[in-house]
């Protein structure tokens, strides 16, 4: 019973954490290149509505996910053009992108309210999926969950084991030096920002196709902001980010369980827990000043213009 | 191919022309957007930008709506100048409203000229106290204020929810989630008869002036500039980064707290579960659109407020859904932010010419 | 004498101007304004009010001209929007959220000739009526079905905020469920939001994991039903028929049916019979309706639910009929009595059978 219960709770936590992993991992790459995009919420919503519309239009979940990523990429392109080509303020443009995305998604989704979708198919391997305890947990998820599990490996490998990752980090840490060596700083930042947009779009698609398969306005309900906070929480490390998403998702779910058991604490205080614990854990891991400095991209948020 | 060429010095003309250019471009973009939506562009643009301020009442409402944006925007811009990223002004605003309301409700039976000033001070203290947490965590434990201030916003909202559903609830209000309606002496005086324009707007203007003096005429302003542009140089000069972090967050928190108590003791008149539709976040945009300068913030705050009033009008007069307002506001902001590029750069089209 | 003529010319010229301005529109149309707290695309509370507005348009055709403003925050903005509607020639204005109560009151004072209709509040004036649905009657119906359909005897309740309306619903549901199954328990999870599909879904999962095999909600999105469908348990729709989201799990829904009231009040405003009233309308008046039963509902459950609906309509049954015990097991309402209306309005205690303690 207890073991079953833990498995069930874990299944819920996976669903809660997966969109955060996508959106935050994309933002991590963006920020590693030295660009701060606060418009994650807007990009996620655009992805969510596009994914939901596409699944009916193309009748394919994979195509719908790709469409959502494209939509996220397009919104990120708009952002990138403004902040990278036209040197607009990154913080303000990101926030404006959120306002824009909320409006745009609501406009696009006007005729999709009240339509139901049965959700992405989950993996079903004969015997394996029916295994007790681990069966559903390991072999019964949808393909996006597996992708999100692979993501920290891929991102960590890319950042720390490939030349491209090294260049990306160099651009984020010192754009002047990177430029002097001859790297195309702006082009690299474009790529990183567009990747962030694609991942935010995918996170949105996860919400509208899996988490709660439907379209309603503002359905992200602030998850884009949590993703942004998680990147800081993780001190720009992929694995810490992954753990952070599961920590945040986990506490959110556990406080719901605690309420269902009938715990005698005002529900508002229970709902505060994920935020407070995230702060406490951040304080614990960031006390060591030197460790953080090694990871935070030094040029984050700063505009770059190659000196002529 | 678009290419930027840095001007040898920033263009004075463009400092003033770029917002005008942005507005012209917004009008063009608006014509395209509204035509696509099947509404007359001229009617839509008139509804957005002109109609809200064609009456005295409309003008006073503009002031009401802009007050919190200007107050918070001015204070935040000071912090942003030295790279302190307080994005939790919304939470600090909430605490200001809570503290101010606590005073108003505690002295519910008492009347006195001192009540209102006490509330305002309580609000400022509330906002500062909430901002002190990120300040302390940043200076003492090196924790990023981006995360802590944002997370504390959610905590503040839930705390407010707890209070209005519990201890602060109106005892005669059938347990509905709102406080008693404040006493007259806990309500900000109206500065224009027949409207809702309250003393808070005057306070916001004072803060603009104070902010201007602070950044341009004081040693602190100089330190802020140095720490923002060249932290290393600042350190050599003996300026303390910790002090700058504390100062930035206290100013931001105090102003946000003041904005919060002004909202509850001004246009709202009681404590509700929701007192701000995201002023703390919008003020960040306002700060940047205002180029982190108090006077710029004043104009940006008014423009932003106008676009909200215009959005309401567009729904009432033209039956345009709110979503269109969001898209339009987004475009307006993009263009305003983008046009500022002209201050520091010339735009060149075509391939890079031979280096002179 | 001169004064009157002057006034007359003035009004004449002003109405001529008004005619010119409104020339495109039908001149005689009565303007009706709506203020919504959420987006019309929320598929919940505001969506349902907008459905009511559309019904009004359908019924009255060109006799009315409607306007709505969506996502109006319940703070300082509400007063301006309501005033704007009143000032732009709207004859009837429906303000559809509790938080608009005091703003409505303030604006109504300045516009004595405009009729205001405030939903779910309790303050009235000569030109303000209040209205709300007796949704707890619907809760009694679904509670009865839950008592019949639940095998574990545990129901999960996803709640938004601890306001009387929500607590009343929880109690009505619990009382009805325990009338069928005296051992039944109701677990409540507060998500502290009216609308967060993800979190509502997560809360549903938590409740199912803890043994609930029937789910009901007082939040806006259909996410709990989708989860119920996926997990093979039963659930009820909220505000609107949500069977499209959960064809098997959806047993019925409590439908907020505002249209008839909007039509009635608008007609009253047009023919001059409008009076300030308080309407708390339930199944009998049709403001609360039950969606068609899902195929999973057993014959017993159907019969019992139909009997509850009929009893409530003919007045022989009241969802809050004694004896009622509170959580401590103390009798608070005697046999043969019903909970007083004031007590219902401000309900802030749980009946026996609800788990967990209500935050004070």
């Amino acid at each position: 019973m207890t073991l079953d219960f833990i498995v069930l709770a874990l299944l819920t936590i996976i669903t809660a954490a997966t969109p955060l992993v996508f959106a935050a991992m994309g933002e991590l790459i963006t920020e590693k290149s030295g660009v701060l995009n606060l418009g994650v919420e807007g990009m996620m919503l655009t992805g969510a509505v596009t994914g939901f519309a596409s699944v009916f239009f193309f009748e394919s979940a994979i195509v719908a996910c790709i469409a959502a990523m494209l939509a996220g990429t397009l919104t990120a392109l708009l952002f990138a053009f403004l902040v990278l080509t036209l040197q607009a303020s990154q913080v303000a443009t990101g926030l404006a992108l959120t306002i824009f995305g909320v409006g745009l998604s609501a406009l696009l989704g006007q005729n999709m309210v009240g339509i139901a979708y049965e959700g992405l198919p989950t993996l079903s391997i004969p015997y394996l999926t029916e295994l007790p305890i681990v069966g559903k947990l390991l072999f019964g998820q949808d393909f996006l969950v597996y992708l999100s599990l692979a993501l920290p490996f891929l991102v960590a490998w890319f950042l720390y084991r490939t030349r491209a990752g090294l260049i990306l980090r160099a651009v984020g840490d010192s754009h002047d030096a990177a430029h002097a060596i001859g790297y195309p700083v702006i082009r690299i930042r474009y790529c990183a920002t567009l990747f962030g947009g694609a991942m935010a779009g995918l996170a949105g698609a996860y919400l509208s196709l899996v988490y709660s398969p439907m379209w309603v306005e503002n359905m992200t309900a602030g998850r884009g902001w949590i993703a942004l906070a998680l990147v800081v929480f993780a001190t720009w490390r992929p694995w810490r980010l992954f753990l952070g998403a599961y920590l945040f998702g986990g506490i959110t779910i556990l406080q719901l369980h605690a309420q269902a058991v009938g715990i005698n604490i005002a529900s508002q205080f229970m709902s505060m827990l994920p935020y407070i614990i995230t702060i406490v854990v951040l304080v614990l891991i960031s006390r060591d000043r030197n460790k953080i400095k090694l990871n935070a991209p030094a040029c984050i948020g700063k505009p770059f213009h190659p000196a002529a | 191919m678009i290419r930027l060429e840095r001007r040898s010095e920033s263009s004075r003309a463009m400092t003033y022309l770029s917002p005008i250019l942005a507005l012209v471009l917004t009008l063009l973009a608006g014509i395209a957007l509204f035509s696509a939506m099947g509404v007359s562009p001229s009617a839509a643009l008139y509804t957005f930008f002109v109609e809200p301020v064609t009456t005295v009442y409309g003008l006073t409402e503009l002031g009401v709506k802009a007050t919190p944006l200007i107050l918070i925007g001015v204070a935040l811009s000071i912090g942003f100048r030295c790279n302190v990223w307080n994005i939790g002004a919304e939470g600090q605003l909430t605490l200001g409203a809570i503290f101010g309301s606590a005073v108003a409700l505690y002295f519910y039976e008492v009347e006195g000229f001192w009540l209102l000033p006490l509330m305002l001070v309580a609000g400022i203290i509330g906002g500062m106290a909430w901002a002190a947490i990120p300040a302390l965590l940043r200076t003492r434990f090196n924790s990023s204020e981006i995360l802590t201030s944002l997370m504390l916003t959610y905590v503040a909202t839930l705390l407010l929810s707890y209070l209005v559903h519990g201890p602060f609830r109106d005892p005669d209000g059938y347990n509905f989630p709102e406080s008693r309606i404040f006493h007259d002496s806990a309500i900000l005086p109206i500065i224009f008869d027949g409207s809702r324009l309250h003393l808070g707007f005057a306070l916001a203007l004072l803060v603009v002036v104070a902010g201007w003096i602070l950044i341009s005429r004081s040693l602190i302003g100089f330190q802020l500039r140095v720490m923002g542009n060249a932290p290393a140089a600042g350190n050599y000069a003996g300026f303390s980064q910790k002090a700058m972090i504390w100062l930035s967050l206290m100013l931001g928190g105090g102003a946000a707290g003041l904005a919060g108590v002004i909202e509850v003791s001004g246009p709202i008149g009681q404590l509700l579960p929701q007192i701000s539709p995201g002023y703390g976040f919008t003020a960040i945009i306002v700060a940047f659109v205002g180029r982190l300068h108090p006077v710029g913030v004043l104009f940006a705050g008014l423009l932003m407020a106008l676009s909200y009033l215009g959005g309401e009008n567009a729904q009432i007069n033209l039956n345009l859904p709110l979503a269109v307002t969001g898209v339009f506001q987004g475009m307006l902001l993009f263009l305003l932010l983008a046009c500022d590029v002209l201050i520091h750069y010339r735009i060149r089209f075509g391939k890079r010419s031979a280096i002179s | 004498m001169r004064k009157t003529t002057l006034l007359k010319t003035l009004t004449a010229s002003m109405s001529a101007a008004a005619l010119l301005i409104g020339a495109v529109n039908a001149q005689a149309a009565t303007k009706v304004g709506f203020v919504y707290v959420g987006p019309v695309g929320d598929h919940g509370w505001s969506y349902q009010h907008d459905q009511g507005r559309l019904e009004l348009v359908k019924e009255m055709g060109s006799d009315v001209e409607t306007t709505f403003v969506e996502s109006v925050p319940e703070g300082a903005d509400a007063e301006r929007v309501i005033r704007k509607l009143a000032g732009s020639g709207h004859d009837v204005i429906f303000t559809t959220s509790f938080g608009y109560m005091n703003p409505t009151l303030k604006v109504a004072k300045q516009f004595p000739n405009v009729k205001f209709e405030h939903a779910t509040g309790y303050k009235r004036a000569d030109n303000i009526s209040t209205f709300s649905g007796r949704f707890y009657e619907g809760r009694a119906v679904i509670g009865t079905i839950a008592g019949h359909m639940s095998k574990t005897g545990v129901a999960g309740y996803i709640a938004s905020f601890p306001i009387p309306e929500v607590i009343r619903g929880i109690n009505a549901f619990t009382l009805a469920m325990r009338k069928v199954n005296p051992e039944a328990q109701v677990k409540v999870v507060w998500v502290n939001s009216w609308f967060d599909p993800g979190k509502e879904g997560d809360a549903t999962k938590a409740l199912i994991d803890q043994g609930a095999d029937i789910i009901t909600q007082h939040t806006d999105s259909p996410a709990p039903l989708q989860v119920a469908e996926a997990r093979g348990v039963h659930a009820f729709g909220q505000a609107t028929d949500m069977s499209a989201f959960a064809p098997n799990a959806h047993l019925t829904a409590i439908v907020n049916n505002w249209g008839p009231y909007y039509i009635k009040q608008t007609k009253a405003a047009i023919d001059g019979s409008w009076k300030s009233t308080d309407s708390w309308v339930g199944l009998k008046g049709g403001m609360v309706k039950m969606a068609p039963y899902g195929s999973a509902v057993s014959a017993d459950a159907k019969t019992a639910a139909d009997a509850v609906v009929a009893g409530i309509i003919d007045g022989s049954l009241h969802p809050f009929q004694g004896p009622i015990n509170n959580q401590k097991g103390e009798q608070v309402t005697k046999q043969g009595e019903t909970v007083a209306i004031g007590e219902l309005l401000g309900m802030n205690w749980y009946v026996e059978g609800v788990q967990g303690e209500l935050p004070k």
Side-chain angles (χ1 to χ4, degrees):
Chain A
M1 149 72 206
T2 11
L3 202 56
D4 277 351
F5 177 77
I6 292 169
V7 170
L8 286 169
L10 269 175
L11 278 169
T12 313
I13 293 170
I14 290 175
T15 332
T18 300
L20 298 176
V21 171
F22 281 129
M25 211 62 91
E27 179 69 15
L28 183 139
I29 292 286
T30 305
E31 292 189 12
K32 266 290 182 189
S33 82
V35 178
L36 178 64
N37 184 354
L38 295 183
V40 180
E41 184 91 354
M43 300 192 294
M44 269 175 94
L45 278 166
T46 316
V49 73
T50 312
F52 190 75
S54 305
V55 85
F56 289 100
F57 193 76
F58 299 109
E59 290 176 355
S60 154
I62 294 186
V63 178
C65 290
I66 294 170
M69 289 169 76
L70 275 177
T73 311
L74 278 178
T75 49
L77 181 65
L78 178 66
F79 172 83
F81 176 72
L82 287 162
V83 305
L84 295 176
T85 302
L86 295 183
Q87 314 268 341
S89 148
Q90 296 185 3
V91 171
T93 309
L95 287 166
L97 183 64
T98 292
I99 296 180
F100 182 76
V102 171
L104 182 69
S105 61
L107 205 57
L108 294 174
Q110 263 176 344
N111 298 319
M112 282 185 280
V113 175
I115 300 176
Y117 170 63
E118 73 274 15
L120 284 192
T122 51
L123 189 68
S124 179
I125 306 170
Y127 307 116
L128 280 183
T129 308
E130 284 110 66
L131 280 178
I133 303 166
V134 294
K136 276 207 130 170
L137 205 55
L138 294 180
F139 305 109
Q141 307 283 352
D142 53 82
F143 71 88
L144 287 176
V145 169
Y146 296 111
L147 183 61
S148 80
L149 295 175
L151 210 51
F153 287 100
L154 293 173
V155 169
W157 171 77
F158 169 77
L159 279 177
Y160 300 110
R161 295 271 180 275
T162 68
R163 204 179 135 68
L166 181 75
I167 297 172
L168 181 87
R169 285 186 290 138
V171 165
D173 279 330
S174 169
H175 45 220
D176 291 325
H179 177 69
I181 301 170
Y183 295 131
V185 172
I186 298 289
R187 205 181 306 160
I188 289 165
R189 287 193 172 163
Y190 256 99
C191 292
T193 309
L194 296 189
F195 178 78
M199 285 295 117
L202 190 60
Y206 187 82
L207 289 180
S208 67
L209 298 177
V210 183
Y211 203 158
S212 41
M214 63 173 110
W215 165 253
V216 272
E217 281 182 36
N218 281 327
M219 66 183 299
T220 46
R223 284 181 182 74
W225 293 100
I226 302 301
L228 277 165
L230 283 175
V231 179
V232 179
F233 172 85
T235 60
W236 295 270
R237 286 168 194 246
W239 275 106
R240 216 175 247 182
L241 180 87
F242 186 79
L243 293 177
Y246 274 79
L247 174 77
F248 189 88
I251 296 163
T252 309
I253 303 305
L254 289 181
Q255 69 91 3
L256 293 171
H257 273 288
Q259 284 195 47
V261 172
I263 198 165
N264 184 20
I265 297 174
S267 69
Q268 287 96 345
F269 292 119
M270 298 298 290
S271 294
M272 285 177 195
L273 282 178
Y275 309 107
I276 292 176
I277 292 177
T278 307
I279 293 177
V280 170
V281 177
L282 175 78
V283 168
L284 291 177
I285 57 180
S286 62
R287 272 176 315 175
D288 189 345
R289 193 168 286 267
N290 298 321
K291 263 191 189 161
I292 298 276
K293 274 215 175 123
L294 289 177
N295 280 296
C299 288
I300 190 157
K302 291 184 184 148
F304 172 73
H305 182 73
Chain B
M1 190 63 194
I2 303 173
R3 208 157 45 69
L4 298 184
E5 201 175 279
R6 193 186 281 275
R7 295 178 193 273
S8 47
E9 57 186 290
S10 55
S11 157
R12 221 170 158 75
M14 275 303 164
T15 308
Y16 303 104
L17 280 179
S18 88
I20 295 168
L21 177 68
L23 283 178
V24 171
L25 289 174
T26 305
L27 293 186
L28 293 178
I31 289 172
L33 173 72
F34 295 123
S35 307
M37 298 297 303
V39 250
S40 146
S42 57
L45 291 170
Y46 176 81
T47 307
F48 258 97
F49 290 118
V50 185
E51 212 238 283
V53 288
T54 45
T55 60
V56 175
Y57 179 77
L59 278 170
T60 58
E61 279 299 309
L62 185 70
V64 173
K65 184 82 185 172
T67 298
L69 296 176
I70 295 169
L71 265 175
I72 306 173
V74 168
L76 286 184
S77 62
I78 290 168
F80 293 157
R81 275 168 177 255
C82 63
N83 295 323
V84 177
W85 298 106
N86 174 12
I87 56 171
E90 183 76 4
Q92 293 142 23
L93 178 150
T94 305
L95 262 286
I98 290 174
F99 272 52
S101 301
V103 172
L105 296 171
Y106 184 79
F107 292 111
Y108 185 70
E109 308 289 323
V110 194
E111 276 183 62
F113 68 94
W114 47 268
L115 183 57
L116 204 52
L118 189 65
M119 283 170 66
L120 296 180
V121 170
I124 294 172
I125 291 174
M128 282 183 170
W130 210 239
I133 303 172
L136 181 75
L137 296 181
R138 166 81 195 268
T139 50
R140 185 94 175 69
F141 298 106
N142 197 30
S143 308
S144 161
E145 72 280 8
I146 296 185
L147 181 138
T148 50
S149 63
L150 177 64
M151 289 295 184
L152 283 170
T153 296
Y154 295 97
V155 177
T157 311
L158 287 161
L159 179 65
L160 172 64
S161 168
Y162 168 76
L163 291 172
V164 285
H165 285 95
F168 283 16
R169 195 159 56 186
D170 180 357
D172 309 316
Y174 297 97
N175 295 316
F176 278 98
E178 56 178 27
S179 77
R180 294 187 209 241
I181 293 180
F182 295 167
H183 217 270
D184 278 349
S185 55
I187 297 281
L188 283 173
I190 298 293
I191 54 178
F192 195 89
D193 256 351
S195 79
R196 296 200 295 165
L197 193 66
H198 48 75
L199 196 63
F201 183 66
L203 289 176
L205 295 180
L206 274 179
V207 167
V208 169
V209 175
W212 197 356
I213 294 171
L214 179 78
I215 62 159
S216 56
R217 299 262 179 277
S218 76
L219 181 63
I220 293 177
F222 176 66
Q223 293 190 4
L224 283 167
R225 256 196 318 270
V226 173
M227 292 305 277
N229 294 334
N235 286 332
Y236 286 126
F239 304 158
S240 154
Q241 208 196 346
K242 280 190 180 178
M244 289 298 120
I245 292 170
W246 272 101
L247 178 75
S248 300
L249 278 157
M250 287 304 99
L251 284 175
L258 181 62
V261 64
I262 283 176
E263 283 299 292
V264 290
S265 65
I268 302 180
Q270 66 188 129
L271 193 63
L272 299 177
Q274 190 201 12
I275 41 162
S276 153
Y279 289 133
F281 293 107
T282 313
I284 300 174
I285 305 185
V286 166
F288 278 99
V289 170
R291 298 178 197 150
L292 306 183
H293 189 283
V295 178
V297 169
L298 172 67
F299 284 110
L302 289 170
L303 180 66
M304 199 67 203
L306 179 64
S307 77
Y308 281 113
L309 301 197
E312 286 162 7
N313 272 3
Q315 292 190 67
I316 294 171
N317 300 349
L318 305 169
N319 293 328
L320 274 176
L322 186 66
V324 179
T325 300
V327 172
F328 187 59
Q329 274 179 335
M331 290 191 333
L332 169 69
L333 294 169
F334 288 148
L335 289 165
L336 279 167
L337 294 164
C339 283
D340 281 358
V341 70
L342 295 170
I343 300 172
H344 300 289
Y345 300 94
R346 277 192 197 87
I347 293 198
R348 290 274 181 268
F349 296 93
K351 285 266 176 221
R352 185 180 290 261
S353 52
I355 298 163
S356 52
Chain C
M1 203 58 196
R2 261 196 65 191
K3 211 174 168 187
T4 25
T5 32
L6 189 70
L7 248 173
K8 263 186 186 163
T9 7
L10 237 163
T11 22
S13 57
M14 267 172 75
S15 47
L19 271 180
L20 269 176
I21 293 166
V24 208
N25 306 323
Q27 287 115 16
T30 300
K31 283 177 88 174
V32 186
F34 293 83
V35 186
Y36 303 142
V37 70
V40 291
D42 70 359
H43 203 253
W45 178 257
S46 294
Y47 175 81
Q48 216 47 34
H49 279 288
D50 201 52
Q51 293 299 309
R53 177 185 70 87
L54 293 172
E55 238 177 273
L56 172 70
V57 173
K58 202 172 155 198
E59 165 82 17
M60 316 264 303
S62 59
D63 291 343
V64 291
E65 195 187 306
T66 63
T67 308
F68 70 86
V69 189
E70 58 183 327
S71 296
V72 177
E74 291 179 322
D77 296 302
E79 187 181 334
R80 177 179 57 250
V81 170
I82 299 167
R83 195 188 144 127
K84 192 99 207 176
L85 284 170
S88 57
H90 289 82
D91 308 281
V92 188
I93 296 169
F94 293 91
T95 54
T96 64
S97 184
F98 171 73
Y100 300 149
M101 181 164 73
N102 293 314
T104 305
L105 216 64
K106 285 184 202 163
V107 179
K109 261 184 213 153
Q110 300 163 358
F111 292 88
N113 295 323
V114 177
K115 319 275 186 282
F116 293 85
E117 295 271 354
H118 177 239
T120 72
Y122 54 86
K123 290 183 185 167
R124 277 169 294 281
D126 283 347
N127 59 338
I128 306 177
S129 285
T130 49
F131 66 99
S132 185
R134 291 179 187 260
F135 301 111
Y136 66 87
E137 294 181 353
R139 305 268 170 208
V141 179
I142 64 172
T144 307
I145 299 175
H148 280 278
M149 300 291 294
S150 171
K151 294 195 180 67
T152 58
V154 180
Y157 207 115
I158 297 130
S160 47
F161 292 101
I163 58 171
E165 168 72 37
V166 175
I167 293 162
R168 197 160 56 228
I170 294 171
N171 286 342
F173 178 87
T174 309
L175 287 171
M177 187 173 178
R178 283 169 70 93
K179 215 179 254 182
V180 181
N181 173 5
E183 300 300 309
Q185 295 289 321
V186 176
K187 285 175 182 283
V188 184
V189 170
W190 300 92
V191 291
N192 281 304
S193 168
W194 284 108
F195 181 78
D196 181 341
K199 208 168 178 195
E200 292 168 49
D202 291 340
T204 312
K205 289 176 191 164
L207 285 162
I208 296 171
D209 294 347
Q210 296 204 13
D213 67 348
I214 199 146
I215 297 292
T216 185
Q217 64 184 97
H218 204 140
T219 50
D220 272 350
S221 92
L225 281 137
Q226 290 180 314
V227 171
E229 180 86 9
R231 291 287 188 95
V233 304
H234 296 123
F236 301 99
Q238 161 79 10
T240 163
D241 187 332
M242 293 177 170
S243 52
F245 289 93
N248 303 308
H250 191 271
L251 298 180
T252 179
I254 305 168
V255 177
N256 304 358
N257 184 32
W258 307 107
Y261 181 79
Y262 291 165
I263 293 168
K264 185 176 127 225
Q265 295 305 94
T266 306
K267 282 186 172 161
I270 292 172
D271 68 24
S273 64
W274 191 95
K275 281 198 313 280
S276 169
T277 52
D278 175 33
S279 312
W280 203 12
V281 189
L283 288 164
K284 191 177 173 190
M287 195 176 281
V288 180
K289 281 205 319 197
M290 303 310 296
Y293 296 124
S295 54
V297 183
S298 67
D300 286 1
K302 259 183 216 170
T303 319
D306 283 340
V308 171
V309 173
I312 289 174
I313 289 177
D314 70 23
S316 64
L317 190 150
H318 191 289
F320 284 98
Q321 207 144 30
I324 296 174
N325 291 356
N326 66 12
Q327 272 185 308
K328 289 184 197 138
E330 302 157 354
Q331 196 176 82
V332 286
T333 308
K334 293 195 200 81
Q335 175 88 39
E337 289 178 3
T338 55
V339 177
I341 189 146
E343 183 74 31
L344 271 185
L345 208 58
M347 198 162 242
N348 70 338
W349 50 274
Y350 279 152
V351 299
E352 194 173 24
V354 183
Q355 290 188 0
E357 208 159 320
L358 195 59
K360 279 279 174 295

